[in-house]
Amino acid sequence: MGQNQIMILGDKDSFIIRVLTKKLTDASLDVINTPMDVEEIDKHWADTALVTFYMEKDERLPEDIKTFLIDRLEDDDKRLIFIGEPIDVAAAEEGFPGHLIYRKLSRPLDYDEYISCVNSYNKQASAGELKKRILVVDDDVNFLNVMREWLEKDYKISMATSGMRALRWLASNKVDLILLDYEMPVTDGHQVLEMLRSEEDTKDIPVIFLTGNDSKETVMSVVNLKPQGYFLKTMPREEFLNKIKVFFLERAV
C-alpha cells in the first residue's frame, strides 16, 4: 500500500463495504477496511489519504473514534467522506469541524459518484488545493523567506512585498488569511487594512498583523484597528505555527 490509500471504516463483511472495496480496487485505487477500533485505525493511518465512513441506518461514530479522527485529520491535513441517510449524516457530523468533511453522500449510494469524488480528492490533495491559503505581506524579503519555510508544509503560501502588490494580487486570487506587516514604507498595514475593508471582495478576509515592535503604544494601535489578531515577529517558530493552527480551528467551530 502507498500513502494514497482509502480507509473504509466499518464491518468488512458488510455487503455494501465489500462493494465499495471492489469498486475502489477496480478503479486502481488502494483501499483498506478498518474496524471501529482506534488502535486498528492508527495502525494504517500513515498510509491513508482519505477516510470513508459508510453508515448503516441509525449508526453513529463512537466518541473515541470521532475524537481520534478530528485530531488526526486536522494534524495531517486529511479529510473524511460521510455516506448515509441524511438524518444519520447530520447526527454523525455534529461537533465535527466542517472543513474536515470532504463530501457527504446519500444512500442509496451512486458508486460512480463516489469513485469520482475519491479521484477529485486525490487530484486536489496532490495539487495542494486542500490546504488553507495564506498571503504574507511584508517588505522584508528575508522575513518572507522565513515565513515560507515555516508555513509551506501545511499551507498554500503566497507572498507580496508591499501592500499595493497584495491588493493587486487579491483582485484575482482568494485566500483564507492575510498575515500583514504593520510597519511598511509607502503604504503601511493600517492603510492596507482600510483598503481591504472598503472592498466587497476583500472586506471579510481575516487579517493578522505582524509587528516587530512590542511597545505598549504599538500594540494598542494594532488592537484598535480590530484585526483578527497580531503576532510578534520575534515569536518562536512552534508558538507561531500553533497560533495559526488555533486560529483556523476556532474559525471552523
Side-chain angles (χ1 to χ4, degrees), residues 155 240-252:
Y155 305 98
F240 181 90
L241 294 177
N242 186 61
K243 284 182 176 291
I244 295 289
K245 179 179 178 179
V246 169
F247 168 79
F248 283 124
L249 282 173
E250 289 178 344
R251 286 184 67 82

Side-chain angles (χ1 to χ4, degrees), residues 208 217 220 225:
I208 292 177
E217 293 76 13
M220 290 305 299
L225 296 174

Side-chain angles (χ1 to χ4, degrees), residues 74-87:
E74 188 70 58
D75 287 345
D76 299 330
D77 196 32
K78 299 177 182 180
R79 300 291 186 274
L80 176 143
I81 295 175
F82 280 125
I83 302 173
E85 300 288 348
I87 190 170

Side-chain angles (χ1 to χ4, degrees), residues 49 66 112-113 120 161 167 182 201 207:
K66 178 185 282 191
D112 289 336
E113 181 185 11
S120 294
T161 55
L167 292 166
Y182 181 69
D201 289 342
V207 173

